Amino acid sequence: MSIDLQTVKKIASLSRISVTDAEAEAMVPEFNNILGWVEQLGEVDVTGVEPMTAVIPNHQRLRVDAVTDGNVRDKVLANAPQAEHGFFAVPKVIE
Amino acid sequence: MTNLTDLTVAEIRDGFRAGDFSAREVATSFNANVAAAKALNAFIVETPEKALEAADAADKAKAAGETLGALSGVPIGMKDLFCTEGTQTTAASHMLEGFVPTYESTVSGKLWAAGAGMLGKLNLDQFAMGSSNETSYYGNVISPWRRAGGDNAALAPGGSSGGSSSAISARLCPAATGTDTGGSIRQPAAFTGISGIKPTYGRCSRWGIVAFASSLDQAGPMARTVRDNAILLEVMAGFDPKDSTSLDLAVPQWEANLSSDLRGKTVGIPKEYRPDGLNAEISAMWDRGIAWLKDAGAEVVEVSLPHTKYALPTYYIIAPAEASSNLARYDGVRYGQRDLPDGAGLQDMYAATRAAGFGPEVKRRIMIGTYVLSAGFYDAYYTQAQKVRALIARDFELAFETCDILLTPTAPSAAFALGEKQADPLAMYLNDVFTVPASLAGLPAMAVPGGLDSAGLPIGLQIIGKALDEQTVLNASLAIEERSGFAARPDKWW
């Protein structure tokens, strides 16, 4: 399967990464190279094989449903590019 | 007077306890080496004051007769992928430039609690994605090694833990942390003539480590000797309720149980790791390794891992898929950089922030991951890869029915020159051919130096063990270390 310029731009958009036309064009052969190479996995017979979910058997732990942390608002906001009135600030999303 | 920066972790620990020197003398010596090695670009941030602070605390505790920690008096380097409270943590990205964590990663916290001091934050490939340390936003790390014969080409220290490997081999720190997703501890260790172990997946908590591919990421130590690795790993490992994949198991006494007597152990040699065209010097080193392990009393058998050739393509589906999900958090809202073009809405801000904040390799992997997870392609790529991954893990299980450990090369070549493989991402990916399979299966694996090649560069061997059997991995590595007599070090030019 071959990837074209339009597909690269769609992947970029899904990835929320803006790319210029020149950047997208440079990515077309790169992606085709890499994806062409990984496609060899299709030749492996996986009949009856379950996809791996955990490398080391480990049971999911439960803990008491209780608050164990919190009250650290200022720490949470300390690295925000823009924080106002105790909240993260973002550009207007509703017109 | 002994040159303190030539000492191993064990020698520093023991010498400090015996009163041969103070912790402050040790920290001061390493701080001086760090400050004088800017040409290697191994550190993103230097923290000499942190090293001195820990040293003074160690000296004071010793003077007061208090119980000393396992690493009291030992300064180390910290890969800049571990969140360190109050000290910038960037993952070598522009995206996290200026990010100062308000919390400490579990693993780094354990090291400080054991008395270790921080010399600085070590450079790496951006978000740990790379095998040569050429993707860092803060510039390439240079290996202290050079080819013999006056060739002064700058060599790759390996990646992604290239700052760690460069700094240790140049004696800027006696040990450092690394992280390994597909070989990021083992390949840099091999390139620089040091040792490093990736423990069983789940031994070390991932909490507070900047995530790349969560089902593969494991922290581990890097140092010049096997014993030093055992000492550090004992401190770094252990159950952490804050990591849902952390193993709730006691930490073995790896150092106390070190033994290079391999009588009764069987070493498997996987035939698929010797492809046509394998570098002759790597192949010869492997043969020497086999002889060393036999000399240590082990039996050697050939084993087969039939799905080996599919490990790399499997990895380069699974790791980017997980990366695309993990790195979705960098959106310019909660931390890190924000790029807000005039009049931009929220979606435009995301796209502009991520375009400006990520380097080319990181973008490439996020986009490959997005593609293989997208509607219509998920089963063909991701599900298929997870099935092949199960087969790769089963190969190891079957092999371990007839042997206790596996011996393989660590990397397909000695260190290459910077720039040599950068043009072709695929050629760079092939560097991980011997390290990726153990990562996919979550197994402990260690790189240990074997000798120098004809160009005077280190080449190494890899020991892969059964899940949770780090002890046999360490012991076999020790047997190699004792027999190789590897003592080469780079001539100082920096």
Side-chain angles (χ1 to χ4, degrees):
Chain A
M1 180 180 333
S2 173
I3 289 197
D4 56 16
L5 183 63
Q6 205 186 339
T7 310
V8 168
K9 287 184 174 176
K10 184 172 173 235
I11 303 169
S13 160
L14 288 171
S15 306
R16 300 292 185 271
I17 296 174
S18 69
V19 292
T20 63
D21 285 350
E23 284 170 336
E25 268 170 42
M27 287 172 179
V28 172
E30 273 178 13
F31 282 19
N32 277 317
N33 236 352
I34 295 169
L35 290 168
W37 172 67
V38 299
E39 263 165 26
Q40 61 177 295
L41 290 189
E43 73 195 38
V44 183
D45 181 3
V46 293
T47 314
V49 177
E50 287 294 313
M52 179 178 271
T53 50
V55 285
I56 305 295
N58 198 358
H59 65 279
Q60 290 298 308
R61 294 179 296 274
L62 297 177
R63 66 168 177 83
V64 178
D65 185 13
V67 176
T68 56
D69 62 2
N71 290 323
V72 289
R73 187 189 74 185
D74 292 346
K75 281 188 169 188
V76 170
L77 293 173
N79 280 289
Q82 198 186 349
E84 287 171 14
H85 316 299
F87 294 95
F88 295 111
V90 295
K92 193 164 74 170
V93 288
I94 301 168
E95 292 302 327
Chain B
M1 161 105 193
T2 320
N3 190 348
L4 295 174
T5 56
D6 284 342
L7 300 179
T8 63
V9 169
E11 287 165 348
I12 294 170
R13 175 193 64 186
D14 298 344
F16 162 67
R17 288 180 185 214
D20 298 343
F21 40 77
S22 69
R24 192 175 181 87
E25 287 174 295
V26 175
T28 304
S29 302
F30 279 106
N31 280 342
N33 276 14
V34 170
K38 308 277 190 217
L40 300 176
N41 199 30
F43 286 84
I44 295 175
V45 172
E46 295 170 13
T47 56
E49 71 291 349
K50 296 258 179 205
L52 289 177
E53 190 185 314
D56 289 346
D59 284 331
K60 205 172 140 197
K62 180 164 181 293
E66 291 167 19
T67 311
L68 297 173
L71 292 171
S72 271
V74 181
I76 61 168
M78 183 61 58
K79 185 176 183 181
D80 198 26
L81 203 62
F82 293 79
C83 283
T84 43
E85 187 172 0
T87 302
Q88 176 184 260
T89 300
T90 65
S93 70
H94 177 49
M95 183 63 88
L96 284 174
E97 192 171 12
F99 173 67
V100 178
T102 55
Y103 57 91
E104 189 76 34
S105 85
T106 297
V107 164
S108 58
K110 280 172 177 278
L111 288 162
W112 312 145
M118 179 164 72
L119 291 159
K121 300 297 291 286
L122 291 157
N123 207 342
L124 65 150
D125 275 300
Q126 190 168 144
F127 286 105
M129 297 177 189
S131 306
S132 64
N133 229 119
E134 289 170 286
T135 70
S136 168
Y137 178 72
Y138 303 94
N140 299 340
V141 177
I142 316 290
S143 171
W145 290 87
R146 283 178 167 179
R147 292 189 182 115
D151 172 1
N152 287 343
L155 301 179
S160 67
S161 309
S164 306
S165 65
S166 179
I168 293 166
S169 64
R171 272 64 176 174
L172 312 186
C173 50
T177 54
T179 61
D180 194 313
T181 304
S184 281
I185 286 175
R186 293 162 283 159
Q187 184 254 19
F191 274 18
T192 56
I194 63 166
S195 308
I197 181 167
K198 179 195 90 72
T200 308
Y201 181 82
R203 275 284 192 204
C204 291
S205 170
R206 291 180 295 106
W207 196 80
I209 301 174
V210 176
F212 163 15
S214 301
S215 79
L216 297 155
D217 296 344
Q218 257 301 286
M222 300 167 76
R224 296 207 311 278
T225 69
V226 172
R227 176 173 297 275
D228 287 1
N229 275 287
I231 293 169
L232 263 88
L233 188 57
E234 271 183 45
V235 174
M236 295 166 69
F239 175 61
D240 179 9
K242 287 190 276 197
D243 172 0
S244 64
T245 57
S246 173
L247 295 170
D248 192 357
L249 297 169
V251 178
Q253 291 187 302
W254 288 305
E255 187 196 5
N257 290 310
L258 280 176
S259 161
S260 57
D261 181 352
L262 300 183
R263 280 176 297 179
K265 296 289 182 189
T266 304
V267 179
I269 306 298
K271 61 180 182 188
E272 291 80 4
Y273 281 54
R274 203 187 286 269
D276 292 338
L278 176 64
N279 178 308
E281 296 198 71
I282 298 289
S283 185
M285 172 54 63
W286 196 5
D287 290 337
R288 279 202 289 286
I290 292 169
W292 288 330
L293 293 182
K294 278 183 183 165
D295 183 60
E299 292 222 22
V300 174
V301 297
E302 186 182 86
V303 297
S304 176
L305 302 167
H307 294 89
T308 297
K309 71 175 267 208
Y310 299 109
L312 268 181
T314 299
Y315 176 84
Y316 277 98
I317 290 174
I318 291 169
E322 295 187 18
S324 75
S325 172
N326 269 329
L327 274 66
R329 72 190 65 181
Y330 303 105
D331 54 8
V333 174
R334 288 157 297 168
Y335 33 68
Q337 296 293 308
R338 167 182 288 190
D339 195 351
L340 184 59
D342 273 349
L346 194 59
Q347 296 293 338
D348 301 328
M349 183 190 83
Y350 293 153
T353 295
R354 292 162 65 79
F358 293 137
E361 182 60 26
V362 177
K363 288 179 190 171
R364 192 177 290 129
R365 296 203 195 186
I366 290 174
M367 289 174 66
I368 293 278
T370 302
Y371 182 71
V372 301
L373 291 176
S374 62
F377 300 105
Y378 185 95
D379 281 340
Y381 288 111
Y382 186 71
T383 307
Q384 179 75 7
Q386 288 288 41
K387 287 179 179 175
V388 178
R389 185 179 185 182
L391 290 173
I392 290 165
R394 197 172 70 188
D395 282 355
F396 280 109
E397 271 171 43
L398 292 174
F400 282 132
E401 286 178 4
T402 57
C403 65
D404 301 290
I405 48 162
L406 301 170
L407 174 73
T408 78
T410 309
S413 71
F416 46 84
L418 292 171
E420 204 170 287
K421 289 183 195 277
Q422 216 184 4
D424 180 4
L426 208 49
M428 188 68 88
Y429 296 172
L430 298 177
N431 241 284
D432 302 330
V433 60
F434 297 131
T435 48
V436 151
S439 295
L440 288 170
L443 301 173
M446 181 159 204
V448 62
L452 299 179
D453 71 359
S454 54
L457 297 181
I459 45 179
L461 292 160
Q462 176 180 231
I463 303 283
I464 303 170
K466 297 175 183 173
L468 306 177
D469 189 14
E470 285 83 1
Q471 191 70 58
T472 308
V473 172
L474 289 160
N475 288 352
S477 300
L478 182 65
I480 290 174
E481 181 179 88
E482 287 176 356
R483 284 162 182 80
S484 76
F486 185 88
R489 56 186 291 179
D491 291 328
K492 189 172 184 307
W493 54 265
W494 55 92

